[in-house]
Amino acid sequence: MDFYSSQITNLVEQLSHLPGIGPKSAQRLAFYILNMPEEKVKLLSDAMMSAKKNVRYCKECCTYTDQELCPICANQKRNHKLIMVVENPRDLAAYEKTGKFDGVYHVLHGAISPMAGIGPNDIRLSELMVRLQGEVDEVIAATNKNLEGDTTAAYISKLVKPLGIRVSRIASGVPAGGDLEYIDEVTLYRALEGRVDM
Ligand code: ZN
């Protein structure tokens, strides 16, 4: 099946490992890259390498950043006593876009899923518990409204409530099974405003 030079085949293969990229898309991207001016290709590959080298987890909230603290955690104007727990950095970005939340976040990088063999120790829950030793008024469980997200929220509630900290769950304005990333800002804002105590 080696129609092309091995270099092209290799490029196609590497691209096809990316999520959502099947063999056809990989081929199309490979040819697109080959037709790009060399300096553009260099910009692309440099951006990938430097992001990979320099991006790390925020010491506080575990989102991706290139500093010790992400801009949100470093911002003293944010309410650091209000922590919204989300599954991934894209959810954080979605809530940030509403511009209505002045608290801080905690990014779990996943959700509990016994089916997929993902337990509480596989997501960033212990980091959350460390943060709760400081002064915290409320933890908002803003994990997705699906089985994994609900399981995770219930688990968080079980851990946090005994500490005397309020735990709330985003409202069901979010469609069941909804992936937070694809929900519009108004709906997200309503889900946040309508949150209920767990
Ligand atoms: Zn942070």
Side-chain angles (χ1 to χ4, degrees):
M1 283 281 282
D2 228 354
F3 316 118
Y4 313 125
S5 80
S6 60
Q7 304 246 347
I8 299 178
T9 307
N10 183 31
L11 179 59
V12 171
E13 195 191 317
Q14 297 310 319
L15 289 166
S16 71
H17 294 154
L18 297 171
I21 306 289
K24 276 189 184 164
S25 303
Q27 234 177 82
R28 203 175 58 234
L29 284 172
F31 286 115
Y32 184 84
I33 291 168
L34 288 173
N35 282 311
M36 280 163 67
E38 197 173 326
E39 63 273 19
K40 289 269 163 109
V41 178
K42 190 171 180 324
L43 285 176
L44 175 65
S45 68
D46 286 355
M48 287 197 281
M49 280 313 290
S50 107
K52 183 65 198 163
K53 267 195 205 139
N54 298 315
V55 171
R56 46 182 158 154
Y57 297 114
C58 169
K59 201 175 74 167
E60 281 281 305
C61 73
C62 302
T63 194
Y64 294 129
T65 179
D66 49 15
Q67 305 290 321
E68 190 162 278
L69 285 178
C70 74
I72 296 168
C73 289
N75 185 348
Q76 284 313 310
K77 286 184 187 143
R78 307 285 295 226
N79 178 2
H80 289 253
K81 295 179 179 177
L82 177 61
I83 300 178
M84 191 199 297
V85 181
V86 293
E87 291 186 18
N88 58 55
R90 286 168 315 184
D91 296 340
L92 180 158
Y95 275 107
E96 264 316 89
K97 268 196 238 153
T98 68
K100 304 284 189 195
F101 180 66
D102 74 339
V104 291
Y105 297 89
H106 189 84
V107 180
L108 294 173
H109 293 277
I112 297 171
S113 171
M115 295 276 282
I118 301 169
N121 293 330
D122 300 315
I123 57 178
R124 304 253 163 176
L125 273 173
S126 56
E127 287 86 346
L128 174 66
M129 297 312 287
V130 170
R131 293 179 73 183
L132 299 183
Q133 289 168 10
E135 252 187 84
V136 176
D137 293 333
E138 181 182 351
V139 170
I140 305 170
T143 46
N144 287 348
K145 286 282 196 173
N146 53 24
L147 182 62
E148 292 81 12
D150 288 340
T151 305
T152 309
Y155 193 85
I156 289 171
S157 171
K158 206 177 74 184
L159 286 179
V160 177
K161 262 193 187 163
L163 304 175
I165 298 169
R166 183 182 169 197
V167 185
S168 59
R169 181 82 172 110
I170 48 168
S172 48
V174 181
D179 192 333
L180 289 185
E181 197 191 350
Y182 298 107
I183 294 166
D184 69 84
E185 287 154 33
V186 177
T187 311
L188 271 188
Y189 173 57
R190 285 201 190 123
L192 180 61
E193 281 296 288
R195 67 185 186 268
V196 287
D197 285 343
M198 288 186 80

